[in-house]
């Protein structure tokens, strides 16, 4: 529910269009529906807490009595606190929990819910100015995995409730993105790893595909490798084709 996301910003901004898209995603085979009310594309402008909640709340209320697995993409502590009143299973925090006080995280843990922490270099306004190199990302993301797990465990999260995302494209150069994909596939055997590459700009640069919507074919081949590696979750735009691939290899 954003007007400015890089691939589909504005298409599902109204509550009616968002709810219609949710039905499409469910019919296409999505396991989890994720709501996002603030774009995190490069150079995206932050929205206020109340504007973010204004975009989210009608959708949350409409889904309140549905038996859906719902995730909310937010890094704002007050939004997380409010979400405790709704049947939201997962918080997807693109800032890795760095702006959230322990008390709120502890409440989320006590409620038995999942915390998905993503690594981002700097912030959306500055992350691509001097992106991390392969060597820098190896140190930064590896350290992020370790420190985040340690912190969240100390606050009461069970191991399987701590999901970690390397943040492909969030302040990393193309070589670093490829390394982090390989590293994530290795780590998926020992920890809950989440990966999102759908339609991202590094695919466009590497394969000369300028229009995001035309990157789905390349996206699906990468996502197929994630299925084989056993990652915990894949964040994607085109659910139908990914579900088709999963059903073929997991009959």
């Amino acid at each position: 529910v954003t007007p400015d996301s890089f691939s589909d910003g504005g298409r599902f901004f109204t509550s009616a269009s968002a709810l219609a898209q949710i039905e499409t995603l469910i019919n296409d085979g999505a396991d989890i529906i994720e709501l996002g009310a603030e774009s995190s594309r490069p150079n995206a402008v932050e929205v206020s807490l109340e504007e973010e909640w204004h975009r989210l709340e009608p959708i949350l209320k409409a889904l309140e009595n549905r038996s859906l697995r719902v995730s909310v993409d937010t890094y704002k502590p007050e939004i997380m606190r409010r979400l405790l009143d709704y049947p939201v299973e997962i918080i997807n925090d693109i800032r890795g929990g760095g702006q959230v006080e322990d008390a709120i995280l502890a409440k989320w843990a006590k409620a038995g819910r999942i915390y998905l922490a993503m690594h981002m270099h700097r912030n959306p306004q500055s992350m691509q100015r001097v992106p991390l190199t392969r060597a820098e990302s190896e140190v930064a993301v590896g350290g992020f995995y370790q420190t985040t797990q340690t912190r969240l465990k100390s606050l009461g999260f069970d191991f399987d409730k701590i999901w970690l995302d390397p943040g492909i494209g969030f302040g990393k150069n193309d070589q670093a993105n490829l390394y982090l994909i390989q590293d994530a596939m290795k780590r998926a055997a020992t920890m809950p790893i989440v990966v999102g590459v759908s339609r991202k700009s590094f695919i466009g640069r590497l394969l000369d595909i300028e229009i995001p919507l035309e990157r789905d074919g390349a996206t699906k081949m990468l996502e197929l490798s994630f299925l084989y590696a056993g990652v915990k979750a894949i964040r994607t735009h085109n659910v139908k084709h990914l579900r088709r691939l999963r059903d073929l290899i997991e009959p």
Side-chain angles (χ1 to χ4, degrees), residues 16-69:
S17 60
L19 290 168
Q21 172 66 357
I22 287 169
E23 295 304 320
T24 297
L25 294 171
I26 292 168
N27 292 333
D28 285 349
D31 297 308
I32 298 167
I33 297 296
E34 182 160 279
L35 309 177
E38 178 176 334
S39 175
S40 56
R41 63 171 175 77
N43 300 311
V45 177
E46 292 187 12
V47 302
S48 69
L49 185 153
E50 292 305 328
E51 174 60 22
E52 182 175 349
W53 188 247
H54 174 73
R55 297 174 182 181
L56 283 172
E57 188 178 27
I59 313 300
L60 292 167
K61 286 184 174 179
L63 299 179
E64 202 164 8
N65 296 315
R66 298 282 299 273
S67 57
L68 297 177
R69 300 186 71 188

Side-chain angles (χ1 to χ4, degrees), residues 16 21 56 58 66 75 84 86 120 145 154 168 177 191-193 196 216-217 219 223 226:
Q21 172 66 357
L56 283 172
R66 298 282 299 273
Y75 58 84
L84 287 165
Y86 292 86
M120 177 169 58
Y145 288 147
S154 74
I168 305 298
N177 288 324
M191 65 176 67
I193 292 288
D216 274 355
T219 293
E223 291 173 345
F226 302 150

Side-chain angles (χ1 to χ4, degrees), residues 219-229 234 242 245 249:
T219 293
K220 289 295 158 278
M221 291 302 96
L222 274 176
E223 291 173 345
L224 176 61
S225 67
F226 302 150
L227 290 173
Y228 282 125
I234 299 170
L242 181 57
L245 291 172
I249 67 173

